[in-house]
Amino acid sequence: MAVFVLGYMGGEKLQLLTPIFCILPAVFLLTAKKYKTAIGYILIYSASFLAFVFWGDKTSGIINFLLLGICGILARFLPCMMMGAYMISTTTVSEFTAAMQRMHLSDKIIIPLSVMFRFFPTVIDEFVSINAAMKMRDIRIGGRNFSKMFEYRIVPLMTLG
């Protein structure tokens, strides 16, 4: 998927595959009953795609550059990121490792990927716990506790690595 969406491989003959690959993450997330993630993906992707289609030719200068950059990045990276989110949320590490071994990949590839596979959900869980602790201590983004907010959020996440 990344080859077609990120790189637009295949030329004009396979250009129709790109929109299909961009729809697949939404379909997979909906079938996995990840409705909130799927709707968020559909809204963000559609907004970025439509913004570029409608305003891309009508703008110029720095506004066009920013529009092209933001919409281009979202349109190319978001489908791949959502497929990764789907894979991480629906596949266990043992299933992933077994699939990679059945594909006869080297352990030099399987082990780092398996570690990464476990790392991202751990970071997300830790981030949610940090947010809950900060709410409990009434530490918010605005106000005079910015240094505490920064310290309480970054230091625990740095210890995970």
Side-chain angles (χ1 to χ4, degrees):
M1 178 177 168
V3 169
F4 288 100
V5 176
L6 282 174
Y8 286 117
M9 295 297 290
E12 292 182 21
K13 294 178 184 176
L14 298 177
Q15 194 172 10
L16 290 176
L17 286 179
T18 301
I20 293 170
F21 280 128
C22 292
I23 293 169
L24 278 178
V27 172
F28 288 155
L29 288 166
L30 288 171
T31 58
K33 298 181 181 171
K34 308 282 183 189
Y35 301 117
K36 189 175 179 182
T37 307
I39 291 171
Y41 167 69
I42 292 168
L43 290 175
I44 292 171
Y45 185 82
S46 300
S48 68
F49 182 77
L50 293 174
F52 185 72
V53 167
F54 289 121
W55 294 324
D57 295 339
K58 296 175 182 158
T59 58
S60 63
I62 190 75
I63 294 173
N64 186 274
F65 178 74
L66 290 173
L67 184 68
L68 174 66
I70 292 169
C71 294
I73 288 171
L74 283 175
R76 290 188 181 198
F77 284 98
L78 197 59
C80 299
M81 289 171 50
M82 287 298 108
M83 282 301 290
Y86 166 75
M87 187 178 77
I88 286 174
S89 66
T90 59
T91 309
T92 64
V93 178
S94 59
E95 290 173 341
F96 176 76
T97 304
M100 295 294 114
Q101 287 174 342
R102 287 193 70 192
M103 290 171 39
H104 302 290
L105 289 179
S106 170
D107 284 344
K108 295 175 186 175
I109 296 172
I110 295 172
I111 293 171
L113 287 176
S114 297
V115 170
M116 285 178 32
F117 207 80
R118 293 183 67 175
F119 177 74
F120 290 116
T122 303
V123 169
I124 292 168
D125 290 341
E126 195 66 27
F127 188 78
V128 169
S129 298
I130 291 168
N131 281 342
M134 288 175 59
K135 281 183 185 177
M136 202 168 50
R137 292 186 175 105
D138 199 29
I139 300 172
R140 299 181 187 186
I141 291 175
R144 61 181 198 259
N145 291 330
F146 178 76
S147 62
K148 285 185 181 178
M149 185 272 308
F150 185 75
E151 177 185 348
Y152 292 161
R153 185 172 304 237
I154 298 299
V155 170
L157 290 177
M158 287 175 58
T159 61
L160 286 175

